[in-house]
Structure formats: C-alpha cells, structure tokens
Amino acid sequence: MTGGIEESGVFTVIWWVIATLTVLSALLVVYLQDLVKAAMALIGTFLGIAGLFVMLNAEFLAVVQVLVYAGAISILLIFGIMMVRDTQRGSPANSLRIPALVLGAAFVGIIAFVVMDTQWNSLGDAVLSAEAQTGVEGVFSDSPRVIGGLLFREFVLPLEAAALLLTATLVGAIALVKGE
Amino acid sequence: MIGLEHFLILSAVLFSIGLYGALTRSNAIAVLMSIELLFNAVNVAVVGVARYTTPFGLNAENVDMLLTGQVFALFIVTVAAAEVALGLAIVITMYRNQGSVDVGEANTMRR
C-alpha cells in the first residue's frame, strides 16, 4: 500500500488546505449568530469532509456525503430554520461557554496524546503475501463494487434494519408535525 | 507525509468544535447542526482507521473486509439522516407549542 500519490508533497499540501478549510467552516458553524449563514458554513464543512473521504480512497462515501449531507440534510435544516421564525433573535451562547471550551480542549489533548502514543498496526507495514497485496490494492481501487458486495452479503441484516429505521422515522416525523 | 494520526486528530478537533456548539448554542436548530458536525467527525475517524490499519488475520480471501469501516460510515450517515429529520419534527412541534426554540426554555414536552 506504499508508494504512489500518497507519498507525494502535493497530497500533503492538498490535505492541509482541505483540513484548514473544514475546521474554519466548522468554527463558523458554531460561531455565526445568523443561522442561515451557519447552515451555509455547515455545507462547506460537509464538502470538505467529502474531500477527505476522497483522500482516504472512499470515493463512494464521498459521493454519498455530497448527496445526503450537502444536498439533503442541509436543505432540510434550512427549511427548518425558515419554518421556525426565531433566527433573527440569533442564538446567544449560554452559561456553559467556559466549561464547554475546557471540555473540548481537554478532549482534543487527550485524543492527540493517545493517538501519538499508540503503536498503530499500519497497513503499509503489514507483511502480506503477494496475492493479498494485490487484493488490498484492488479493494481500494474498486471500492464501490466491494461495498455493494459487503452490504448485500455480510451486512444484509443491518441494511434491512436501516430500511426499517428510515420508514419508522418517516412515519414518526409526519405524525409529529401533522398535529391533531 | 499524511498518516492515520493526521486524520484522527483532525477528527478530534472537528468533534470538539461540534461538542462546544452542541453545549453552548441555545437555538435548537443550531444544536442539531452541531450534532451533525459530531457525526461527520466520527465518520472521518472510522474511515481513516479502515484505510490505514491492518485487520487481524488479513489474507487474500477476506480482503473485502478492509472496507467494513466504510460500510459502517454508510450506516452512520443513514442514522444521521433519520436523526435530523426527527429532530426537526420535534423542533417544529416545540415551536408550535411554545413559540420558541430556545433549548434553555424547553422544560416540558407538552403544552
């Protein structure tokens, strides 16, 4: 799994650009008082994460991210903002600001320490047979086909459960909003 | 060179930004948006680990299982979509009943 584009400097530069844009727009989501603008920043975050998925060889997931998150969920949120005419009053921060800041910083610190301290069982260093090596490369270059196979073989029960969940959600949302 | 550590720490940063927003925002829809940030941060971590680590006993026959993490992320996306639809339905009901979507004022689920 070594070599190729991921070793190149261009990959590193693109990663840092996407990561910076994603974090900046995530900060805007929690900082902006106007909720419509915050929703636009949220779309930016979703698109940045789709870019990260492409860099992780998860092209199918990147497309799903753009369709479901940047397309459907953000539009749903904007509809919600428009239906609830409470946006002009803004969203002032409450008294939890300092504890939440401390909690977030502590979380990042702990995770960073643990991640750097862990000896990851890296795929690049793995000792594999030549056959398995070509298999690994094939899986990552042809991920949508493999995901489809997994979904309808190993994960067919969770897939049906997800269908049930979506149906129940649809019924529940209609029942809630329809009223008496 | 970019490795797993970069993706995991970026995911932690996004998660804590979302956590901060979910705890401090007072508008219920802003809280929902922060929760979407949390889902996305977790997805980045899951897909990153699936991409960069070796499962135990990996061989030529079970090489498909490398993408289990991506399938997992797909299910997280499904659940997030269901969550935001139901969350918005609850927020709209709350607005109808109380005329406000401030989570600090919401202390009852009925009129």
Side-chain angles (χ1 to χ4, degrees):
Chain A
M1 286 310 297
T2 50
I5 192 165
E6 304 193 356
E7 306 276 334
S8 67
V10 181
F11 188 88
T12 309
V13 172
I14 294 176
W15 189 88
W16 280 105
V17 169
I18 292 181
T20 314
L21 289 178
T22 310
V23 170
L24 279 181
S25 51
L27 284 174
L28 284 181
V29 171
V30 297
Y31 176 75
L32 285 175
Q33 293 299 307
D34 187 341
L35 282 186
V36 179
K37 287 179 187 158
M40 293 302 161
L42 193 65
I43 295 178
T45 315
F46 289 157
L47 292 178
I49 286 169
L52 289 175
F53 284 159
V54 172
M55 307 194 90
L56 284 168
N57 283 359
E59 291 84 4
F60 180 69
L61 216 50
V63 173
V64 168
Q65 172 86 9
V66 173
L67 279 176
V68 175
Y69 273 109
I73 288 185
S74 54
I75 295 300
L76 202 61
L77 281 169
I78 291 173
F79 265 124
I81 294 168
M82 305 259 169
M83 284 179 87
V84 179
R85 304 287 302 160
D86 213 15
T87 56
Q88 294 313 311
R89 274 206 294 155
S91 185
N94 59 23
S95 56
L96 276 173
R97 174 171 275 184
I98 303 295
L101 206 60
V102 172
L103 186 65
F107 181 80
V108 172
I110 291 170
I111 293 289
F113 175 75
V114 171
V115 164
M116 298 314 259
D117 207 43
T118 305
Q119 197 65 47
W120 293 100
N121 192 8
S122 167
L123 196 57
D125 305 337
V127 185
L128 297 171
S129 62
E131 203 184 343
Q133 192 66 45
T134 30
V136 168
E137 278 156 24
V139 160
F140 280 114
S141 63
D142 197 14
S143 60
R145 184 186 60 77
V146 179
I147 288 178
L150 281 175
L151 270 181
F152 285 97
R153 265 185 247 120
E154 279 84 354
F155 294 97
V156 69
L157 200 62
L159 186 78
E160 296 299 330
L164 195 64
L165 172 76
L166 286 177
T167 314
T169 309
L170 186 68
V171 174
I174 292 173
L176 265 178
V177 175
K178 204 186 70 175
E180 290 82 42
Chain B
M1 188 191 153
I2 301 297
L4 176 61
E5 291 84 0
H6 291 79
F7 283 98
L8 286 184
I9 292 175
L10 174 68
S11 155
V13 170
L14 285 175
F15 190 91
S16 68
I17 293 172
L19 189 64
Y20 175 78
L23 287 177
T24 57
R25 288 284 207 165
S26 59
N27 189 311
I29 293 181
V31 174
L32 273 182
M33 299 200 310
S34 304
I35 292 174
E36 291 306 309
L37 274 184
L38 298 184
F39 276 111
N40 275 280
V42 171
N43 264 353
V44 171
V46 169
V47 180
V49 171
R51 171 68 183 77
Y52 282 106
T53 60
T54 318
F56 181 73
L58 179 72
N59 57 42
E61 277 81 50
N62 62 11
V63 82
D64 281 7
M65 294 310 271
L66 276 174
L67 293 191
T68 305
Q70 295 192 18
V71 175
F72 217 94
L74 263 178
F75 284 118
I76 296 177
V77 170
T78 316
V79 173
E83 178 262 345
V84 78
L86 261 189
L88 275 175
I90 291 174
V91 169
I92 288 172
T93 314
M94 193 171 123
Y95 180 68
R96 276 201 200 139
N97 288 348
Q98 305 177 352
S100 154
V101 290
D102 193 315
V103 287
E105 292 167 18
N107 49 14
T108 170
M109 290 297 276
R110 46 175 301 196
R111 240 169 287 222

